[in-house]
């Protein structure tokens, strides 16, 4: 009997998240969002719900790597991580976006190809 292991590359979401937060301006400018940074927080009108007029309706914490909609609670529907923010901004009723769509968008935007980790996947022994 012989056991072999196969190396499989998988995307490390923590590395991708770090890449985004290291240069979050790229993401916000890609969406055409106007924002203000105060200390470790970014504030803007909520780009997810219609009719947002509060310039501090959304905050993104650069230390917590999380976001929140203070006016309509959009984060309750989409989640508070940055991938959920991207999904919420991309979302439309005609074409709902999934996590994989948001991940694909940021990976393309940031040209992510080095945020992988090696995962060992063991195969069943050959008989």
């Amino acid at each position: 009997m012989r056991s072999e292991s196969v190396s499989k590359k998988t995307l490390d979401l923590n590395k991708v998240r770090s890449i985004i937060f290291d240069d979050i301006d790229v993401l916000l400018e890609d969406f055409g969002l106007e924002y203000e940074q105060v200390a470790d927080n970014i504030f803007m009108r909520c780009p997810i719900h219609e009719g947002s007029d509060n310039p501090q309706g959304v905050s993104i914490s650069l230390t917590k790597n999380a976001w929140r909609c203070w006016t309509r609670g959009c984060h309750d529907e989409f989640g508070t991580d940055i991938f959920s923010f991207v999904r919420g901004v991309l979302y439309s009723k005609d074409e709902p976006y999934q996590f994989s769509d948001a991940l694909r968008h940021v990976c393309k935007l940031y040209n992510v190809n080095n945020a992988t980790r090696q995962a060992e996947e063991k195969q069943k022994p050959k008989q």
Side-chain angles (χ1 to χ4, degrees), residues 2-66:
R2 186 173 155 208
S3 175
E4 295 181 29
S5 65
V6 175
S7 179
K8 181 180 178 184
K9 288 186 176 185
T10 58
L11 201 57
D12 186 336
L13 295 180
N14 289 326
K15 285 184 183 179
V16 176
R17 189 176 293 111
S18 292
I19 289 168
I20 295 168
F21 277 99
D22 284 346
D23 198 1
I24 196 163
D25 297 332
V26 170
L27 178 67
L28 301 178
E29 290 169 8
D30 178 61
F31 288 137
L33 301 175
E34 293 182 21
Y35 58 95
E36 177 184 16
Q37 184 170 344
V38 179
D40 289 335
N41 291 295
I42 293 176
F43 297 98
M44 70 186 82
R45 288 175 174 80
C46 183
I48 297 172
H49 68 264
E50 290 185 34
S52 178
D53 60 357
N54 180 353
Q56 293 190 340
V58 162
S59 64
I60 299 175
S61 170
L62 300 176
T63 54
K64 295 179 182 176
N65 292 350

Side-chain angles (χ1 to χ4, degrees), residues 20-21 23-35 42 44-48 58 60 67 78 81-92 97-110:
I20 295 168
F21 277 99
D23 198 1
I24 196 163
D25 297 332
V26 170
L27 178 67
L28 301 178
E29 290 169 8
D30 178 61
F31 288 137
L33 301 175
E34 293 182 21
Y35 58 95
I42 293 176
M44 70 186 82
R45 288 175 174 80
C46 183
I48 297 172
V58 162
I60 299 175
W67 74 282
F78 292 98
D81 71 10
I82 195 65
F83 301 112
S84 299
F85 177 78
V86 171
R87 189 171 72 88
V89 174
L90 293 174
Y91 183 84
S92 74
Y97 281 81
Q98 303 300 319
F99 173 82
S100 59
D101 298 313
L103 183 60
R104 194 174 303 111
H105 182 87
V106 296
C107 285
K108 183 177 178 183
L109 179 64
Y110 286 92

